[in-house]
Amino acid sequence: MSKKPLNIGLVGYGFMGRTHTNGYKRVADFFPELGITPVLKAVCGRSEEKTKAFAEQWGYESYETDWEKLIARDDIDAIDICTPNDTHAPISIAAAKAGKMILCEKPISRTTAEGEEMVAAVEQAGVPNTVWYNYRRLPAVTLAKQIIDSGKLGKIYHYRANFLQDWTISADLPQGGAALWRLDAAAAGSGVTGDLLAHCIDTAIWLNGGITDVSAMTETFIKERMHQLTGKVEKVGIDDACAFMCHFANGSLGLFESTRYARGHKALYTFEINGADASLRWDLHDLNRLEMYDHSDEGPQRGWKSIHVTDGEHPYMSHWWVPGLIIGYEHSFVHQVADFLKALEEGKPCEPTFKSALETAKVCDAVLESGKTRQWKNV
Amino acid sequence: MSKKPLNIGLVGYGFMGRTHTNGYKRVADFFPELGITPVLKAVCGRSEEKTKAFAEQWGYESYETDWEKLIARDDIDAIDICTPNDTHAPISIAAAKAGKMILCEKPISRTTAEGEEMVAAVEQAGVPNTVWYNYRRLPAVTLAKQIIDSGKLGKIYHYRANFLQDWTISADLPQGGAALWRLDAAAAGSGVTGDLLAHCIDTAIWLNGGITDVSAMTETFIKERMHQLTGKVEKVGIDDACAFMCHFANGSLGLFESTRYARGHKALYTFEINGADASLRWDLHDLNRLEMYDHSDEGPQRGWKSIHVTDGEHPYMSHWWVPGLIIGYEHSFVHQVADFLKALEEGKPCEPTFKSALETAKVCDAVLESGKTRQWKNV
Amino acid sequence: MSKKPLNIGLVGYGFMGRTHTNGYKRVADFFPELGITPVLKAVCGRSEEKTKAFAEQWGYESYETDWEKLIARDDIDAIDICTPNDTHAPISIAAAKAGKMILCEKPISRTTAEGEEMVAAVEQAGVPNTVWYNYRRLPAVTLAKQIIDSGKLGKIYHYRANFLQDWTISADLPQGGAALWRLDAAAAGSGVTGDLLAHCIDTAIWLNGGITDVSAMTETFIKERMHQLTGKVEKVGIDDACAFMCHFANGSLGLFESTRYARGHKALYTFEINGADASLRWDLHDLNRLEMYDHSDEGPQRGWKSIHVTDGEHPYMSHWWVPGLIIGYEHSFVHQVADFLKALEEGKPCEPTFKSALETAKVCDAVLESGKTRQWKNV
Amino acid sequence: MSKKPLNIGLVGYGFMGRTHTNGYKRVADFFPELGITPVLKAVCGRSEEKTKAFAEQWGYESYETDWEKLIARDDIDAIDICTPNDTHAPISIAAAKAGKMILCEKPISRTTAEGEEMVAAVEQAGVPNTVWYNYRRLPAVTLAKQIIDSGKLGKIYHYRANFLQDWTISADLPQGGAALWRLDAAAAGSGVTGDLLAHCIDTAIWLNGGITDVSAMTETFIKERMHQLTGKVEKVGIDDACAFMCHFANGSLGLFESTRYARGHKALYTFEINGADASLRWDLHDLNRLEMYDHSDEGPQRGWKSIHVTDGEHPYMSHWWVPGLIIGYEHSFVHQVADFLKALEEGKPCEPTFKSALETAKVCDAVLESGKTRQWKNV
């Protein structure tokens, strides 16, 4: 009814453009209590044809082919950045200078240095900002956060996470351009580290606190691939696989691994945290479940519980269906939109802000540096 | 762009009203190839306040408090019935007479007799019609259908299914009115048989063909509950639990069970089918997975495969995200809308039609009759 | 050291002859506290060559080819019957008359009538007797019994069990003789009912009390098979598959199914019991695990626990290794020997006695009768 | 019958003394084709009382309290070493000098240096020798080896393993003496590295070939514990947790982790190997299962298979029961005895020999050194 509109200007119409747009379109239906509602004002992309088609399909009121023009428009309140990593810094900084709110796809940037400029820009401008580390908003992950924060786990000894995929095993897969910019170091900054481990690290810091030092191993299995933009076979600059060990500030040990060469795994993002009194683990493939081992259970009845996180009392779930009926991947983005809007109403930051997300960038940089130098590296 | 509108008139704003509406609102985003697009023209409910609020929240252009008026409106193309089972027949028959298309929530009716009148009405009127047995449209279930239809399973020996819940164990839960009409025999017709087994039976017939005879056991564990409409403690007329054995026309044996007293199960709808050459099984709690045992695998390497049905080559999934990223319960309704619209474009019926759904009603009636008489009953 | 010997006379050297013998040979190593120790005195079989070879391999002191002679020997304390079902009654009755203890493989007999004569014989003779329903002695199953007996589950609503196999799908498999007597109605009495459902029923009665009435469906998928003893194609007299519904004396509902035509299942014996306050389930394929859902857990942390029943505080497990290290199928027989010897020492019966096992025979008879008549049958 | 005896002299009557003895006692029953049979000639331990009791319980013909006397006995053919790690070298070397065969519990030694002396001793003496890396002999692990050796996996990219326990979380647990020598650096050499990672490394080398360099992180969470031998609180010298990254000679990446502080895990030994064409994974808690993903399966039907390794055509399983019926942890030792005896008959070495096991010791040493220096270390 009397909801306050928030005019969105979306940059990028790829995979993430779709997930974010879906988030904006569904939030009012499922979170009716919010006083602010997103309006799909404009989408921006370099190809006029594709941008126009996206606008029509998804219901954007208008489109632009130059992001500077989008930022310059008075009728845009918030810039949402869904373009490759190399564009995050220039667009964010320009948007901040123009006084726009910014919702930036993860990772915040290709490097810590870029990220620091972005943080400086949003802080100077005083604009609301957030980075789309959407997995925090899955109900099972948020439930893990609540249980950990309650102190139930006791002293933490171990945290481990991995993100395993298998989609780049074929040497015939080219790099660069369109959906394959993730294989192009210039556009992406790094390979699995910025793409996948960044998710693992963000969740880890959120759940278990800061990481102090890392030792990493990186590998590029396929050394050369045809580049779609140049049409030539070029050296592959990204990391195909990366594993690292680390210490957390709370004294626990961390172990992380990511690859795009683990045959059989499509998007196996899992984490596990072991405390003296209880442990938790989670798997993106079955994202509605949280597993928990509670040592305070009666001795002979102890075991790993599979919690089906679909009850009304579970985080976010009262907004959806009835117990037992699952939600999917895309809902994490709806939740992030809802949380962003709620934070706006309350005048609070929406985590992770650019500043918080910079912590993940620092860890990623240390990991990549350690992989190169084969030395432990402080974060 | 030049999509043809289909004006929807929704009757009922409860749980199913939400799932259907979400289906209408999302179909154009994810199935852009469709030439027809649903328009949320009007919603109808008895409480003006609640109906109006629903219309505002979900974006219906108007509302009605009398379904006869809704049917009478010229600007309504299709009537979607989401009200309790006792209303399916009168609304459907009136809608058919008014020449409206009808999308009716399952089960088609309280009884076969009611259902037969409904079938007669839509056939006489020649209006497109369908019943929302949404689970057929889950990608893993559709994949099961494709594999079975390919002949991969060989001669079928067994089919078994159950739908186990635990939400009515408390004797303090009242019956009747609002969300609890499912406990009221007058409104629902039956208990778990029409509510839950109807789903199991619809899937079973779709996958394994017709059922010829049944032998059932029914039970009402809690004999009296306070009735919300009368405020009095009244006899409970529904079946709290129902199990039945049956024969399929293809010679295979069936075993079905449903209850709302299986502590620990929220919505455990599972089915399994065993053929001479291969077997399949599925579980609603993990609806993106289909399990398959293929006896043609090399001997020592045989085992039950867990197929994560999230690839682009899986049914419906090219419309969503990328491999490994799951969808949820609600997507089955989006798929059903898409299939209904596609069938409209092609001038074909959208299964299950009223006529097809009547088969499930007949089995349900035979099951309830067998439960009462303790005799085998032909369908 | 000063252990009292118990001289065993084993009849039958097949699959069960091996499992029982292994039980006798291992019990002293793992249950050193027992004051009685089994001695492998003699094995008896019809083929002298095979019997002698078995005696040598397994360490029996002597062998016989006529079970009447075995029973007549003064140096035999206990007769262990591992031969096909049609021999259980004559051997048991003769052994009882000779004052021997009897350990009889399940099922007790082909029919209730045979079983009643056997019970009369052992009771008249006053000899210790037991039937090898070995699955009771698996630690996870015994743990289930302990939890149920503690009252933790509250009022019981449902019990379900199945035993699914796939080894007789080929029509080329003959019946009768050697290992295939299980397909021969004359030797076995029935098919899956006496072979597999008998296990399910014994466990069910033990865990959930008596069964009052049943309604069954039986099927023989392959009507004729070559008979190994006659060399002719003969009608198959056994049930290939059997499902039944029942009521327990405590008011709960039961559902049972067994088949040898469920492709992909080798020995899928599972049971589940649902109470108002908690539920349990178990699967023979993973026999060291017991799953438990405890509704008294904190709301958002409720889930099905997978209890790895390998701790010292779990039933029988202090006799084996260390937590996390599993035991196998054969250990159930070691446990049954240990329990039999302990009962002997204490002068108590070892459950299930012939009399207790007769309850299962009665249910089996009622099931087979109901399958034939298509009527509910009281037990 | 005419089996050739192999007289065993066992040193140590603890946990491993029991598993090995059980292996010797069962092998003839289940592997009747072997021409050599172990004879329990003598057991040796420092406590006369306990050693005598063990001999009586398990059926050793005699006992000794001095291992040098045991080695000196003419009636002993093979020395089996089940005592703490610090004793492996002196006993092995003396036994080799005396011309005895040696079966040594893993790890071969506390250090590579000790191990090299042992290898030199057995090679100089020319005596048959083996190290009890028993997990190789679990049917599912051997099946993995067969599948890998068939080339089915294609080029290998990743190998990962962990061994997680939780039994030393309590700070009240003392170190040293009896069952707790594993916490005492002087007796054990190291903590989880020699105890648990040694298993992971042995399997890894067997399945995936040699390891070339490692980078490790070690931690001792509880710095001081009461020492049972001195009665004083002393510094803990072992590693409570250890993770390491490595490269295999075939170019694949390895990631390993072990700890005794992962609440909820009793003995979670898992490994996974990813090849371009297929992947395998395994878990000790469910040791009868091997999971396999085969990319050559038809596209939409691809998934992780759970192979229940209990068929007669699976490694070792024709010696046991029938399909679906599992074996346990202890069976790996029976298999190792059988393989040792078979190798003796054939005059071949029984893998892993001392020399092969030295490879694992070298990796362990490199891991521990890397953990100390925080540098990559070549093996």
Side-chain angles (χ1 to χ4, degrees), chain C residues 1 18-19 25-26 29-30 32 56-58 266 285-286 289 308 311 319-321 326 328-331, chain D residues 1 18-19 25-26 29-30 32 56-58 266 285-286 289 308 311 319-321 326 328-331:
Chain C
M1 293 301 286
R18 296 172 74 235
T19 61
K25 292 187 77 167
R26 299 179 66 203
D29 292 343
F30 292 95
E56 283 170 0
Q57 178 177 343
W58 290 89
K266 301 173 183 178
H285 280 170
D286 296 294
R289 293 188 181 274
H308 204 254
D311 287 349
H319 294 270
W320 299 100
W321 314 109
I326 69 168
Y329 161 76
E330 75 213 52
H331 295 69
Chain D
M1 292 301 286
R18 296 171 75 234
T19 61
K25 293 187 78 168
R26 300 179 67 202
D29 292 344
F30 292 94
E56 285 171 359
Q57 178 177 343
W58 289 88
K266 300 173 184 176
H285 281 170
D286 296 295
R289 292 187 182 274
H308 204 254
D311 287 349
H319 295 270
W320 299 100
W321 313 108
I326 69 168
Y329 162 76
E330 74 213 51
H331 296 70

Coordinates of all heavy atoms in Angstrom, one line a residue, chain C residues 1 18-19 25-26 29-30 32 56-58 266 285-286 289 308 311 319-321 326 328-331, chain D residues 1 18-19 25-26 29-30 32 56-58 266 285-286 289 308 311 319-321 326 328-331:
Chain C
M1 N 39.4 -72.0 31.8 CA 40.1 -72.8 32.8 C 39.1 -73.9 33.3 O 39.0 -74.9 32.7 CB 40.6 -72.0 34.0 CG 41.7 -71.1 33.6 SD 43.1 -71.9 33.0 CE 43.8 -72.7 34.5
R18 N 27.1 -72.8 9.6 CA 28.3 -72.0 9.7 C 28.2 -70.9 10.7 O 29.1 -70.6 11.5 CB 28.7 -71.5 8.3 CG 29.1 -72.5 7.3 CD 29.3 -71.9 5.9 NE 30.5 -71.2 5.8 CZ 30.6 -69.9 5.4 NH1 29.5 -69.2 5.1 NH2 31.8 -69.3 5.3
T19 N 27.0 -70.2 10.6 CA 26.9 -69.1 11.6 C 26.8 -69.5 13.0 O 27.4 -68.9 13.9 CB 25.6 -68.2 11.2 OG1 24.5 -69.1 11.4 CG2 25.6 -67.7 9.8
K25 N 32.4 -71.0 18.5 CA 33.9 -70.9 18.6 C 34.4 -69.6 19.1 O 35.5 -69.5 19.5 CB 34.4 -71.2 17.1 CG 34.2 -72.6 16.7 CD 34.9 -72.9 15.4 CE 36.4 -73.1 15.6 NZ 37.1 -73.7 14.3
R26 N 33.6 -68.6 19.0 CA 34.1 -67.3 19.4 C 33.7 -66.8 20.8 O 34.2 -65.9 21.3 CB 33.7 -66.2 18.4 CG 34.3 -66.6 17.0 CD 33.8 -65.6 15.9 NE 34.4 -64.3 16.2 CZ 33.9 -63.1 15.8 NH1 32.8 -63.1 15.1 NH2 34.6 -62.0 16.1
D29 N 36.3 -66.4 23.7 CA 37.2 -65.3 23.5 C 36.7 -64.0 23.9 O 37.4 -63.1 24.5 CB 37.7 -65.2 22.0 CG 38.5 -66.4 21.6 OD1 38.9 -67.2 22.4 OD2 38.6 -66.6 20.3
F30 N 35.4 -63.7 23.6 CA 34.9 -62.4 23.8 C 33.9 -62.3 25.0 O 33.6 -61.1 25.4 CB 34.2 -62.0 22.5 CG 35.1 -61.8 21.3 CD1 35.4 -62.8 20.4 CD2 35.8 -60.6 21.2 CE1 36.3 -62.6 19.4 CE2 36.8 -60.4 20.2 CZ 37.0 -61.4 19.3
P32 N 34.6 -63.9 28.2 CA 35.4 -64.7 29.1 C 34.7 -65.0 30.5 O 35.1 -65.9 31.2 CB 36.7 -64.0 29.2 CG 36.4 -62.6 28.9 CD 35.3 -62.6 27.9
E56 N 36.0 -81.3 9.7 CA 37.4 -81.0 9.7 C 37.7 -79.5 9.6 O 38.5 -79.0 10.2 CB 38.1 -81.8 8.5 CG 38.2 -83.3 8.8 CD 38.7 -84.1 7.6 OE1 38.8 -83.5 6.5 OE2 38.8 -85.3 7.7
Q57 N 36.9 -78.9 8.7 CA 37.2 -77.4 8.5 C 36.9 -76.7 9.8 O 37.7 -75.8 10.2 CB 36.3 -76.9 7.4 CG 36.5 -75.4 7.2 CD 35.7 -74.9 6.0 OE1 35.3 -75.6 5.1 NE2 35.5 -73.6 5.9
W58 N 35.8 -77.0 10.5 CA 35.4 -76.2 11.6 C 35.8 -76.8 12.9 O 35.6 -76.1 14.0 CB 33.9 -76.0 11.5 CG 33.4 -75.1 10.4 CD1 33.2 -75.5 9.1 CD2 33.3 -73.7 10.5 NE1 32.8 -74.4 8.4 CE2 32.9 -73.3 9.2 CE3 33.5 -72.8 11.5 CZ2 32.7 -72.0 8.8 CZ3 33.3 -71.4 11.1 CH2 32.9 -71.0 9.9
K266 N 19.3 -56.3 -1.2 CA 19.9 -57.7 -1.0 C 19.3 -58.3 0.3 O 18.9 -59.4 0.3 CB 21.4 -57.5 -0.8 CG 22.1 -57.0 -2.0 CD 23.6 -56.7 -1.7 CE 24.2 -56.0 -3.0 NZ 25.6 -55.7 -2.8
H285 N 21.1 -53.4 6.6 CA 22.3 -53.1 5.7 C 23.3 -52.2 6.5 O 24.5 -52.2 6.2 CB 21.8 -52.3 4.5 CG 21.3 -53.2 3.4 ND1 20.6 -52.8 2.3 CD2 21.2 -54.6 3.3 CE1 20.2 -53.8 1.5 NE2 20.6 -54.9 2.1
D286 N 22.8 -51.4 7.4 CA 23.7 -50.6 8.3 C 23.5 -50.9 9.7 O 23.1 -50.1 10.5 CB 23.5 -49.1 8.0 CG 23.9 -48.8 6.5 OD1 25.1 -48.9 6.2 OD2 23.0 -48.5 5.7
R289 N 23.8 -49.0 13.2 CA 23.2 -47.7 13.4 C 21.7 -47.8 13.9 O 21.0 -48.7 13.4 CB 23.2 -46.8 12.1 CG 24.6 -46.4 11.7 CD 24.5 -45.5 10.5 NE 25.9 -45.1 10.1 CZ 26.6 -44.1 10.6 NH1 26.1 -43.4 11.6 NH2 27.8 -43.9 10.1
H308 N 25.5 -44.2 16.2 CA 26.5 -45.3 15.8 C 26.7 -46.2 17.0 O 27.4 -45.8 17.9 CB 27.8 -44.6 15.3 CG 28.6 -45.5 14.4 ND1 29.8 -46.1 14.8 CD2 28.4 -45.8 13.1 CE1 30.3 -46.7 13.7 NE2 29.5 -46.6 12.7
D311 N 29.7 -47.9 21.0 CA 30.4 -47.5 22.2 C 30.3 -48.6 23.3 O 29.4 -49.4 23.3 CB 29.7 -46.2 22.8 CG 30.0 -45.0 22.0 OD1 30.9 -45.1 21.1 OD2 29.4 -44.0 22.2
H319 N 32.3 -55.9 24.8 CA 33.0 -57.2 24.5 C 33.8 -57.1 23.2 O 34.5 -58.0 22.9 CB 32.0 -58.3 24.4 CG 31.3 -58.6 25.6 ND1 31.7 -59.5 26.6 CD2 30.1 -58.1 26.2 CE1 30.9 -59.5 27.6 NE2 29.9 -58.7 27.4
W320 N 33.7 -56.0 22.4 CA 34.3 -56.0 21.2 C 35.5 -55.0 21.1 O 36.4 -55.1 21.9 CB 33.3 -55.8 20.0 CG 32.3 -57.0 20.0 CD1 31.0 -57.0 20.5 CD2 32.6 -58.3 19.6 NE1 30.5 -58.2 20.4 CE2 31.4 -59.1 19.8 CE3 33.6 -59.0 19.0 CZ2 31.3 -60.4 19.5 CZ3 33.5 -60.3 18.6 CH2 32.4 -61.0 18.9
W321 N 35.4 -54.0 20.3 CA 36.6 -53.2 20.0 C 36.5 -51.8 20.7 O 36.3 -51.7 21.9 CB 36.8 -53.1 18.5 CG 36.7 -54.5 17.9 CD1 35.6 -55.0 17.1 CD2 37.5 -55.7 18.1 NE1 35.8 -56.3 16.9 CE2 37.0 -56.8 17.4 CE3 38.7 -55.9 18.8 CZ2 37.6 -58.0 17.4 CZ3 39.3 -57.1 18.8 CH2 38.7 -58.2 18.2
I326 N 33.0 -51.1 13.7 CA 31.7 -51.8 13.7 C 31.9 -53.4 13.8 O 33.0 -53.9 13.5 CB 31.0 -51.5 12.4 CG1 31.7 -52.0 11.1 CG2 30.7 -50.0 12.2 CD1 30.8 -52.0 9.9
G328 N 29.7 -57.1 12.6 CA 28.9 -57.6 11.5 C 27.7 -58.5 11.8 O 27.4 -58.6 13.0
Y329 N 27.2 -59.0 10.8 CA 26.0 -59.9 10.9 C 26.2 -61.1 11.8 O 25.4 -61.4 12.7 CB 25.7 -60.4 9.5 CG 24.9 -61.6 9.4 CD1 23.5 -61.6 9.6 CD2 25.4 -62.9 9.1 CE1 22.7 -62.7 9.5 CE2 24.6 -64.0 9.0 CZ 23.3 -63.9 9.2 OH 22.5 -65.0 9.1
E330 N 27.4 -61.7 11.7 CA 27.7 -62.9 12.4 C 27.7 -62.8 13.9 O 27.5 -63.7 14.7 CB 29.0 -63.5 11.9 CG 30.2 -62.8 12.5 CD 31.4 -62.8 11.5 OE1 31.2 -62.4 10.3 OE2 32.5 -63.2 11.9
H331 N 28.0 -61.5 14.4 CA 28.1 -61.3 15.8 C 26.8 -61.5 16.5 O 26.8 -61.8 17.7 CB 28.6 -59.9 16.0 CG 30.0 -59.6 15.5 ND1 30.3 -59.6 14.2 CD2 31.2 -59.5 16.2 CE1 31.6 -59.4 14.0 NE2 32.1 -59.3 15.2
Chain D
M1 N 43.5 -80.5 7.8 CA 44.1 -81.8 7.8 C 45.6 -81.8 7.8 O 46.2 -81.7 8.9 CB 43.6 -82.6 6.5 CG 42.1 -82.9 6.5 SD 41.6 -83.9 7.9 CE 42.3 -85.5 7.4
R18 N 44.5 -58.5 20.7 CA 43.2 -59.1 20.5 C 42.8 -59.3 19.0 O 42.4 -60.3 18.6 CB 42.1 -58.4 21.3 CG 42.3 -58.4 22.8 CD 41.3 -57.5 23.5 NE 40.0 -58.1 23.5 CZ 38.9 -57.5 23.1 NH1 38.9 -56.3 22.5 NH2 37.7 -58.1 23.2
T19 N 43.0 -58.2 18.3 CA 42.6 -58.2 16.9 C 43.4 -59.2 16.1 O 42.9 -59.9 15.2 CB 42.7 -56.8 16.2 OG1 44.0 -56.4 16.2 CG2 41.8 -55.8 16.8
K25 N 42.9 -67.1 14.8 CA 41.9 -68.1 15.2 C 40.8 -68.4 14.1 O 40.2 -69.4 14.2 CB 41.3 -67.8 16.5 CG 42.3 -67.8 17.7 CD 41.6 -67.6 19.0 CE 41.0 -68.9 19.5 NZ 40.6 -68.8 20.9
R26 N 40.5 -67.4 13.3 CA 39.4 -67.6 12.4 C 39.8 -67.9 11.0 O 39.0 -68.3 10.2 CB 38.6 -66.3 12.4 CG 38.0 -66.0 13.8 CD 37.2 -64.7 13.8 NE 36.0 -64.9 13.0 CZ 35.3 -63.9 12.5 NH1 35.8 -62.7 12.6 NH2 34.3 -64.2 11.8
D29 N 38.9 -71.4 9.5 CA 37.4 -71.6 9.3 C 36.9 -71.0 8.0 O 36.1 -71.6 7.3 CB 36.6 -71.0 10.4 CG 36.8 -71.7 11.7 OD1 37.4 -72.8 11.7 OD2 36.5 -71.1 12.8
F30 N 37.4 -69.8 7.7 CA 36.9 -69.1 6.5 C 37.7 -69.1 5.3 O 37.2 -68.8 4.2 CB 36.6 -67.6 7.0 CG 35.5 -67.6 8.0 CD1 35.7 -67.6 9.4 CD2 34.1 -67.6 7.6 CE1 34.7 -67.6 10.3 CE2 33.1 -67.6 8.5 CZ 33.4 -67.6 9.9
P32 N 39.5 -72.0 4.1 CA 40.0 -73.4 4.2 C 41.0 -73.8 3.1 O 41.6 -74.9 3.3 CB 38.7 -74.2 4.1 CG 37.7 -73.3 3.4 CD 38.1 -71.9 3.7
E56 N 45.3 -67.8 28.6 CA 44.1 -68.8 28.9 C 42.9 -68.4 28.1 O 42.2 -69.2 27.6 CB 43.9 -68.8 30.4 CG 45.0 -69.6 31.1 CD 44.9 -69.4 32.6 OE1 44.0 -68.7 33.1 OE2 45.7 -70.0 33.3
Q57 N 42.6 -67.1 28.1 CA 41.3 -66.7 27.5 C 41.4 -67.0 26.0 O 40.4 -67.4 25.4 CB 41.1 -65.2 27.7 CG 39.9 -64.7 27.0 CD 39.6 -63.2 27.3 OE1 40.1 -62.6 28.2 NE2 38.7 -62.6 26.5
W58 N 42.5 -66.7 25.4 CA 42.5 -66.8 23.9 C 43.1 -68.1 23.4 O 43.1 -68.4 22.2 CB 43.3 -65.6 23.3 CG 42.6 -64.4 23.5 CD1 42.6 -63.5 24.5 CD2 41.7 -63.8 22.5 NE1 41.8 -62.4 24.3 CE2 41.2 -62.6 23.1 CE3 41.2 -64.2 21.3 CZ2 40.3 -61.8 22.5 CZ3 40.3 -63.4 20.6 CH2 39.8 -62.2 21.2
K266 N 33.9 -40.7 16.1 CA 34.6 -41.8 16.8 C 35.8 -42.2 16.1 O 36.9 -42.4 16.7 CB 33.6 -42.9 17.1 CG 32.4 -42.5 17.9 CD 31.4 -43.6 18.0 CE 30.1 -43.1 18.7 NZ 29.1 -44.1 18.8
H285 N 33.2 -45.7 9.1 CA 32.0 -45.9 9.9 C 31.0 -46.8 9.2 O 30.2 -47.5 9.9 CB 31.3 -44.6 10.3 CG 32.0 -43.9 11.4 ND1 31.7 -42.6 11.8 CD2 33.0 -44.3 12.3 CE1 32.4 -42.2 12.8 NE2 33.2 -43.2 13.1
D286 N 31.1 -46.8 7.9 CA 30.2 -47.7 7.1 C 31.0 -48.5 6.1 O 30.9 -48.4 4.9 CB 29.1 -46.8 6.4 CG 28.2 -46.1 7.3 OD1 27.5 -46.8 8.0 OD2 28.3 -44.9 7.4
R289 N 30.5 -50.1 2.5 CA 30.0 -49.4 1.4 C 31.2 -48.7 0.7 O 32.1 -48.2 1.3 CB 29.0 -48.3 1.8 CG 27.7 -48.9 2.4 CD 26.7 -47.9 2.6 NE 25.5 -48.4 3.2 CZ 24.5 -48.9 2.4 NH1 24.6 -48.9 1.1 NH2 23.4 -49.4 3.0
H308 N 27.0 -51.6 -1.9 CA 27.1 -52.4 -0.7 C 28.0 -53.6 -1.0 O 27.5 -54.5 -1.6 CB 25.6 -52.8 -0.3 CG 25.4 -53.1 1.1 ND1 25.3 -54.4 1.6 CD2 25.4 -52.3 2.2 CE1 25.1 -54.4 2.9 NE2 25.1 -53.1 3.3
D311 N 28.7 -58.8 -1.9 CA 28.4 -59.8 -2.8 C 29.5 -60.8 -2.9 O 30.7 -60.4 -2.7 CB 28.1 -59.3 -4.2 CG 26.7 -58.6 -4.3 OD1 25.9 -58.7 -3.3 OD2 26.5 -57.9 -5.3
H319 N 34.1 -65.6 1.0 CA 34.5 -66.4 2.2 C 33.5 -66.2 3.4 O 33.6 -66.9 4.4 CB 35.9 -65.9 2.7 CG 36.9 -66.3 1.7 ND1 37.6 -67.5 1.7 CD2 37.4 -65.6 0.6 CE1 38.5 -67.5 0.7 NE2 38.4 -66.4 0.0
W320 N 32.6 -65.2 3.3 CA 31.7 -64.9 4.4 C 30.3 -65.4 4.2 O 30.1 -66.5 4.0 CB 31.9 -63.4 4.8 CG 33.3 -63.1 5.2 CD1 34.3 -62.5 4.4 CD2 34.0 -63.5 6.4 NE1 35.5 -62.5 5.0 CE2 35.3 -63.1 6.3 CE3 33.6 -64.1 7.6 CZ2 36.3 -63.2 7.3 CZ3 34.5 -64.3 8.6 CH2 35.8 -63.8 8.4
W321 N 29.3 -64.5 4.2 CA 27.9 -64.9 4.3 C 27.2 -64.8 2.9 O 27.7 -65.3 1.9 CB 27.3 -64.1 5.4 CG 28.2 -64.2 6.6 CD1 28.9 -63.1 7.1 CD2 28.5 -65.3 7.4 NE1 29.7 -63.6 8.2 CE2 29.5 -64.9 8.4 CE3 28.2 -66.7 7.4 CZ2 30.0 -65.7 9.4 CZ3 28.7 -67.5 8.4 CH2 29.6 -67.1 9.3
I326 N 26.6 -57.8 6.4 CA 27.9 -57.1 6.5 C 28.9 -57.8 7.4 O 28.5 -58.7 8.2 CB 27.7 -55.7 7.0 CG1 27.2 -55.6 8.5 CG2 26.7 -54.9 6.1 CD1 27.3 -54.2 9.1
G328 N 32.6 -56.8 9.8 CA 33.0 -55.7 10.6 C 34.5 -55.4 10.5 O 35.2 -55.9 9.7
Y329 N 34.9 -54.5 11.4 CA 36.3 -54.1 11.5 C 37.3 -55.2 11.6 O 38.3 -55.2 11.0 CB 36.4 -53.2 12.7 CG 37.8 -52.9 13.3 CD1 38.6 -52.0 12.6 CD2 38.2 -53.6 14.4 CE1 39.9 -51.8 13.1 CE2 39.5 -53.3 15.0 CZ 40.3 -52.4 14.3 OH 41.6 -52.2 14.8
E330 N 37.0 -56.2 12.5 CA 38.0 -57.2 12.8 C 38.3 -58.1 11.6 O 39.4 -58.7 11.6 CB 37.4 -58.1 13.9 CG 36.3 -59.0 13.5 CD 35.3 -59.3 14.6 OE1 34.8 -58.3 15.2 OE2 35.0 -60.5 14.9
H331 N 37.4 -58.1 10.6 CA 37.6 -59.0 9.5 C 38.8 -58.6 8.7 O 39.4 -59.4 8.0 CB 36.4 -59.0 8.6 CG 35.2 -59.6 9.3 ND1 34.5 -59.0 10.3 CD2 34.5 -60.8 9.1 CE1 33.5 -59.8 10.7 NE2 33.5 -60.9 10.0

